[in-house]
Amino acid sequence: MTKRLSNKKLEYRDQRQNAQEAGINTDFALDISEHGTIKAESYFTKTGQPAYHASFVFKITANSKKELETRSKLLKNELIKYGIKIVAPFGGEQLNLMMEKIIGSRQINNDYKIECDSGIISGMMFGGATTNIGDNRGFYIGYTERLRRPVFIQPDLAAKAFEGLGNVEDSISQLVAGQTGKGKSFEMNLMLYLSVLANGSMALVIDPKGDRKGWDELPMIPKEYISKWTLGGESKKDAGCLDPFRTSVDLEEGKAIALDILSYLTNSSINDVEYSILSDAIEYVGEMDDPCIGAAIDYLVEQYEQRGHQMSDKRYEALERVKDALLTLQRQNLSVLLFGEVGQDYRSLKADKPIQILMVQNLNLPDKETKKPRTQQQISEAILISITAYTKQYMFNQDRSIHKIILQDEASTIDRSPPVGRELMDFIIRKGRYYNTTLIKGSQNATDHGGDDVANVGMKFSFGLRTRKEAEEMLEFLNLPITRKNVEKLRSLQKGTCLFQDIYGRTATIKIDPVFSDLLTAFDSSTSSEEEKERERQRNIGEIEYPEEQEEQTEYVS
Ligand SMILES: Nc1ncnc2c1ncn2[C@@H]1O[C@H](COP(=O)(O)OP(=O)(O)OP(=O)(O)O)[C@@H](O)[C@H]1O
Ligand SMILES: [Mg+2]
């Protein structure tokens, strides 16, 4: 082999010489080939690996010409991702090549020979060496439905900018969508858990529904590595800890978020007098030592009681409305978290454990159907926004060299409420790569996320969707053809099975597999009794045995 490569090198040298004598330049292709030869020679000399002459012939069958074309295109596209280029020769050669594929036939065509080492042969011909979805490194999260190949994920890979990685997405954030009960939280939990355990990541879990109450410890992660904040309980220290001035990264952002939240809560928009009154109040407290919403309300009350003579009647009436609205809101139980008071000894949210969970008691979030949220729901939304501001602080304050995960389980609520919530999340997605932070956004469907920024998300997981429309929107979002089959596939995904698109833009149906039954128990969010759970467990264990006829039929053509 090395001898042939040396000969090849001599050939290139001759070609160059001839060109020089003829006074013409050699083309770039020659440089590339020569370079490749030198590399191959050094590889074989150094490793002493045997080399093989091989030719790979793929036989593709289909019922129609169109189907055949689609399939051959798919094969080409898939292989190119590995740097392997294949050709479909025309005419007569096809027949010979087909004859070759008959078992026991001799090799007829010798035109497509390549020289390669044993690694290439084992990888190509015996499969299993690599899976064509996921990162092929990192930890195991499940297997493909069709060929049951293992799927491995390294959550921060896209941020590492490795040369030749071939990723189409740079973002390390993830989107997890699907109808209720299909396994979103389960997948996010597993991803987070394995990232912490196997990748050394730090994690912050925003858990508005309190699904993770039972996470005192997790399999192989003892208590001392997990911290839970359950806000809104008895503790006096909780009061004011979610005031946006206190959760924000800096004063300017605190002011902006406080203003957005207060104008949302009082239904005032930018052109209203109410808005300018609120803005004045926020500016005023911004100058104070301990700025907080409570101080802004005090300021408004004071303004009202000591009406300046230059204040118009219109403004005075507006002031009365805003002040009254805020005083009413302040009496709501939940407000105590959001409306800080000057000089309060509040709990400061400092995350120093690998897993930090943030839960809020009695949060009442509106759902998608809610047209006009009630007061308590509005406050709940405002609390979630303030928490999102905190997640940004988390991203900034932790060590940049450590990968971080922020899990936002109810992201759609934030996306739907005042724009500031979504802006904060978009910011984390955009800057996440730089700050080594993955935002995992959980939501019921793809459109909740709207906007262009979602396009920046790295990995996408879609669990079963309810309606045709949702499925179509998801396919569009994933850049997949909107065919009847694909729509049906998305709608019929079983619990724990999802359509996964990796950072290379490849898609496959995968089954999320926790492997260990104690993980299954730890991530179980259902409220069913122990007995029911056992039955469900048995059923789930059974489900992993995928019957042949359920094999994936979908044409996920990218
Ligand atoms: N991959 C899986 N393997 C085994 N069981 C699973 C899997 N995924 C989900 N389950 C089971 O399904 C239940 C519901 O899943 P999960 O809580 O993740 O739903 P969800 O999509 O987050 O729903 P919601 O939108 O209501 O929060 C889990 O408690 C668990 O018991
Ligand atoms: Mg959930």
Side-chain angles (χ1 to χ4, degrees):
M1 182 71 193
T2 42
K3 181 139 196 318
R4 289 201 35 201
L5 286 164
S6 306
N7 287 344
K8 206 79 205 154
K9 256 180 18 191
L10 291 176
E11 254 176 57
Y12 292 133
R13 194 180 304 160
D14 284 349
Q15 276 186 37
R16 243 183 242 291
Q17 226 159 26
N18 290 344
Q20 232 165 23
E21 279 160 21
I24 47 173
N25 285 328
T26 53
D27 61 8
F28 186 50
L30 180 72
D31 291 343
I32 294 177
S33 309
E34 191 173 9
H35 186 66
T37 312
I38 294 170
K39 251 171 75 176
E41 189 188 19
S42 116
Y43 172 76
F44 283 109
T45 328
K46 249 199 256 159
T47 61
Q49 278 261 7
Y52 298 87
H53 298 288
S55 73
F56 295 93
V57 181
F58 296 90
K59 183 170 119 189
I60 306 170
T61 56
N63 286 324
S64 69
K65 190 161 174 244
K66 188 163 171 275
E67 200 177 337
L68 191 66
E69 276 164 3
T70 312
R71 288 184 181 175
S72 74
K73 213 157 93 196
L74 185 64
L75 181 68
K76 263 190 200 168
N77 286 344
E78 279 308 306
L79 288 177
I80 203 84
K81 288 172 189 159
Y82 294 94
I84 300 168
K85 226 162 110 182
I86 53 168
V87 290
F90 285 107
E93 282 190 35
Q94 291 279 358
L95 208 59
N96 281 343
L97 290 169
M98 197 185 79
M99 300 298 282
E100 276 188 25
K101 295 300 288 187
I102 297 172
I103 295 169
S105 158
R106 70 185 170 89
Q107 189 171 11
I108 303 169
N109 189 312
N110 277 319
D111 293 345
Y112 299 96
K113 253 192 331 211
I114 59 163
E115 265 100 20
C116 55
D117 72 348
S118 47
I120 298 217
I121 299 201
S122 59
M124 289 277 295
M125 299 186 68
F126 301 108
T130 55
T131 308
N132 55 4
I133 185 92
D135 297 325
N136 281 320
R137 57 184 113 179
F139 47 76
Y140 169 82
I141 58 153
Y143 51 88
T144 64
E145 189 182 45
R146 196 147 72 120
L147 297 170
R148 300 178 60 100
R149 294 267 184 84
V151 181
F152 297 91
I153 299 289
Q154 185 181 337
D156 51 350
L157 187 63
K160 297 207 183 291
F162 286 135
E163 214 178 297
L165 189 61
N167 51 320
V168 294
E169 300 295 353
D170 284 336
S171 167
I172 55 173
S173 288
Q174 304 177 6
L175 178 92
V176 182
Q179 132 187 29
T180 171
K182 290 289 184 185
K184 293 184 300 293
S185 300
F186 193 92
E187 186 275 336
M188 294 189 274
N189 290 342
L190 187 65
M191 180 71 73
L192 173 129
Y193 171 82
L194 293 172
S195 300
V196 171
L197 206 60
N199 199 43
S201 311
M202 299 265 293
L204 172 69
V205 189
I206 309 302
D207 184 13
K209 290 206 299 199
D211 285 342
R212 290 149 188 100
K213 271 195 207 82
W215 282 25
D216 295 316
E217 55 183 343
L218 288 169
M220 287 184 281
I221 303 186
K223 273 209 257 330
E224 54 269 36
Y225 297 104
I226 302 177
S227 157
K228 269 192 301 186
W229 295 322
T230 310
L231 306 179
E234 298 294 295
S235 170
K236 278 216 157 51
K237 287 227 167 203
D238 290 352
C241 74
L242 291 180
D243 190 301
F245 280 106
R246 293 169 186 169
T247 56
S248 295
V249 173
D250 54 34
L251 179 64
E252 280 316 305
E253 182 155 302
K255 277 170 25 183
I257 294 172
L259 181 58
D260 266 35
I261 286 178
L262 291 186
S263 54
Y264 175 65
L265 291 175
T266 55
N267 293 320
S268 9
S269 48
I270 190 137
N271 296 323
D272 300 341
V273 189
E274 283 86 347
Y275 190 89
S276 96
I277 291 171
L278 286 171
S279 173
D280 285 350
I282 296 290
E283 282 305 324
Y284 177 82
V285 295
E287 303 290 320
M288 296 168 54
D289 286 341
D290 182 12
C292 55
I293 290 190
I297 299 176
D298 292 346
Y299 173 79
L300 293 173
V301 172
E302 204 183 289
Q303 290 282 300
Y304 179 77
E305 281 165 1
Q306 298 160 14
R307 176 180 178 172
H309 26 260
Q310 74 278 40
M311 191 185 286
S312 70
D313 284 348
K314 188 172 167 227
R315 196 173 173 90
Y316 191 65
E317 279 159 25
L319 175 62
E320 181 171 24
R321 268 198 303 278
V322 175
K323 163 197 76 96
D324 286 348
L326 289 178
L327 286 174
T328 311
L329 287 165
Q330 204 173 25
R331 281 195 291 275
Q332 293 272 332
N333 281 344
L334 276 172
S335 303
V336 85
L337 291 172
L338 192 65
F339 293 6
E341 298 297 337
V342 179
Q344 227 164 8
D345 174 25
Y346 60 92
R347 179 208 286 260
S348 79
L349 304 178
K350 241 198 222 100
D352 48 11
K353 298 278 170 69
I355 296 184
Q356 179 64 57
I357 305 159
L358 203 165
M359 288 178 285
V360 180
Q361 286 188 341
N362 306 320
L363 217 53
N364 176 358
L365 293 164
D367 57 29
K368 220 169 51 181
E369 278 73 41
T370 315
K371 290 265 149 35
K372 204 173 174 312
R374 286 179 290 125
T375 313
Q376 220 198 12
Q377 292 175 324
Q378 282 186 309
I379 294 178
S380 300
E381 284 178 307
I383 285 179
L384 222 48
I385 289 171
S386 190
I387 290 176
T388 312
Y390 171 70
T391 62
K392 186 169 162 184
Q393 206 185 107
Y394 179 82
M395 169 168 93
F396 280 155
N397 291 349
Q398 302 289 337
D399 184 347
R400 221 186 94 189
S401 68
I402 298 174
H403 176 242
K404 295 161 287 293
I405 289 199
I406 299 170
L407 196 163
Q408 275 277 12
D409 207 338
E410 296 295 317
S412 22
T413 321
I414 306 169
D415 270 334
R416 279 195 306 268
S417 50
V420 55
R422 174 180 290 181
E423 281 159 25
L424 282 165
M425 284 201 292
D426 285 345
F427 180 87
I428 296 172
I429 291 180
R430 265 200 319 276
K431 296 282 170 170
R433 190 164 183 265
Y434 179 76
Y435 288 102
N436 207 358
T437 302
T438 292
L439 175 69
I440 305 184
K441 265 179 106 169
S443 102
Q444 309 257 321
N445 55 43
T447 44
D448 283 348
H449 304 282
D452 289 336
D453 277 313
V454 259
N456 293 331
V457 176
M459 293 177 216
K460 296 142 190 139
F461 299 83
S462 173
F463 287 83
L465 295 168
R466 206 175 31 188
T467 66
R468 182 167 303 280
K469 189 164 161 276
E470 281 167 0
E472 285 175 359
E473 280 162 356
M474 179 53 79
L475 287 167
E476 192 177 335
F477 170 62
L478 295 174
N479 236 330
L480 294 171
I482 303 173
T483 60
R484 195 182 54 82
K485 245 182 183 170
N486 285 352
V487 169
E488 283 318 310
K489 180 75 197 179
L490 269 181
R491 291 180 65 191
S492 61
L493 288 171
Q494 301 288 316
K495 183 187 282 185
T497 307
C498 66
L499 189 62
F500 167 50
Q501 193 165 71
D502 63 14
I503 56 168
Y504 313 91
R506 303 173 301 195
T507 315
T509 310
I510 67 168
K511 164 89 185 169
I512 302 300
D513 177 15
V515 183
F516 302 107
S517 62
D518 47 354
L519 281 182
L520 200 66
T521 317
F523 300 153
D524 195 345
S525 67
S526 54
T527 42
S528 49
S529 69
E530 236 355 273
E531 199 181 305
E532 284 169 312
K533 274 185 194 161
E534 186 51 37
R535 233 179 300 138
E536 180 70 13
R537 265 200 290 279
Q538 291 304 330
R539 217 173 66 85
N540 277 322
I541 293 164
E543 242 175 46
I544 291 172
E545 234 57 72
Y546 260 88
E548 284 295 308
E549 64 268 27
Q550 254 194 27
E551 288 218 332
E552 185 210 329
Q553 297 286 323
T554 320
E555 330 134 17
Y556 296 125
V557 189
S558 353

